[in-house]
Amino acid sequence: MYYGIEIILIFILGLIVGSFCNVCIYRIPRNELIIYPASHCPNCNTDILAKDNIPLLSYILLKGRCRNCGSRISIKYPVVEFLTGLVYVIIYQIYGLSVQSLIYIILSSALIIIAFIDLNEQIIPDVISLPGIIIGLTLSFFVPYLSFINSVLGVVVGGVIILVIGLVGSVIFKKEAIGGGDIKLAAMIGAFLGWRYIIISLFLGFFLGALTGIFLVLSRVKSREDVIPFGPFIVLCSIITLLWGEKILSWYVGF
Ligand SMILES: [Zn+2]
């Protein structure tokens, strides 16, 4: 376990990147540039002052409202920042100062962006998942924990599992339950994590997604006709798997 100043620094790094993730989550579906113009209030369009743009802290100090027009700022912004910081800290606790930590930090940031875009807009952007597949495959040449073969198998296994489940689902429910975006997302995660971890990620994702779907329908938050995006469940469970995959496997084998 690591304690002290390095953990605080990693958490702050996560908050800052999380703040950048928020910009991507908002702008990528709108086809806007990421770095220009400056952040502005979506309601009154006023530029957000630097002192009001501090991750997490500004939201708390402004009580979740725009300083200029007083309109509510979505709770999703501080949630994304906090989640990114939290995931960074856990990755660092498990993998320490290593190449693996660095890659997992980049991967989980991309996955957090994808999950929240899918939650907001029900799309998974190709501009992240397609380059992600190429980057994952390329990195496998340079890292000790994943071979190129394993990375290729991860892409194929991830894509095929989602494809088959999507086809079966569309026959049973007579509507498209899983989109092409989910296939590319699973292929991207497979490229980074290999075939074993992508199977665990998707299995957990379906389990959690189905449970959540049943709960939402039974509690009448959603009707049976509503589409519940599946991407966030894949993302959540693949982050759980990259953190605790070996524990999950040894627990499963011990059964
Ligand atoms: Zn405003």
Side-chain angles (χ1 to χ4, degrees):
M1 287 287 272
Y2 297 90
Y3 301 99
I5 190 75
E6 56 196 309
I7 286 302
I8 296 170
L9 290 175
I10 294 279
F11 185 66
I12 291 173
L13 174 71
L15 291 182
I16 294 167
V17 178
S19 183
F20 175 73
C21 290
N22 275 323
V23 176
C24 296
I25 291 163
Y26 186 82
R27 294 188 183 186
I28 286 176
R30 290 170 181 77
N31 282 320
E32 293 176 8
L33 290 176
I34 300 299
I35 47 169
Y36 179 86
S39 298
H40 47 86
C41 167
N43 185 50
C44 67
N45 256 329
T46 314
D47 282 359
I48 292 167
L49 304 170
K51 65 169 178 173
D52 293 340
N53 215 358
I54 306 162
L56 215 55
L57 213 58
S58 292
Y59 187 88
I60 296 166
L61 292 174
L62 291 168
K63 299 188 181 74
R65 291 182 182 278
C66 167
R67 183 185 289 278
N68 185 51
C69 70
S71 67
R72 277 220 163 277
I73 301 164
S74 169
I75 186 79
K76 283 178 190 153
Y77 290 98
V79 165
V80 165
E81 288 158 359
F82 179 77
L83 272 181
T84 312
L86 181 68
V87 168
Y88 279 26
V89 166
I90 303 174
I91 288 173
Y92 188 73
Q93 288 289 0
I94 294 174
Y95 298 104
L97 199 61
S98 65
V99 178
Q100 198 164 0
S101 277
L102 181 66
I103 291 172
Y104 283 176
I105 273 176
I106 296 168
L107 173 65
S108 53
S109 312
L111 292 177
I112 287 171
I113 296 172
I114 289 177
F116 279 85
I117 290 179
D118 198 17
L119 269 180
N120 291 344
E121 324 275 344
Q122 281 78 55
I123 51 162
I124 293 175
D126 287 350
V127 287
I128 302 177
S129 59
L130 290 182
I133 296 172
I134 308 293
I135 294 168
L137 288 170
T138 312
L139 281 175
S140 69
F141 284 106
F142 305 101
V143 294
Y145 58 89
L146 187 72
S147 68
F148 179 66
I149 300 293
N150 194 359
S151 182
V152 173
L153 281 174
V155 173
V156 176
V157 169
V160 167
I161 289 177
I162 298 278
L163 185 67
V164 169
I165 288 169
L167 288 175
V168 171
S170 62
V171 170
I172 294 174
F173 299 108
K174 298 195 173 58
K175 65 175 181 186
E176 197 183 356
I178 288 168
D182 294 302
I183 297 174
K184 287 170 256 182
L185 171 61
M188 169 187 161
I189 299 168
F192 277 90
L193 301 185
W195 69 271
R196 285 158 74 236
Y197 276 17
I198 190 63
I199 291 176
I200 301 172
S201 306
L202 295 178
F203 177 78
L204 291 177
F206 278 112
F207 189 66
L208 191 64
L211 278 184
T212 309
I214 291 167
F215 174 78
L216 290 176
V217 171
L218 287 182
S219 60
R220 295 175 193 271
V221 177
K222 297 258 181 193
S223 79
R224 289 185 61 165
E225 279 68 44
D226 286 328
V227 175
I228 298 165
F230 182 53
F233 295 103
I234 306 181
V235 165
L236 174 63
C237 292
S238 62
I239 292 177
I240 289 173
T241 304
L242 74 83
L243 293 172
W244 296 295
E246 289 312 313
K247 281 204 171 72
I248 296 169
L249 273 176
S250 59
W251 173 80
Y252 181 75
V253 170
F255 244 118

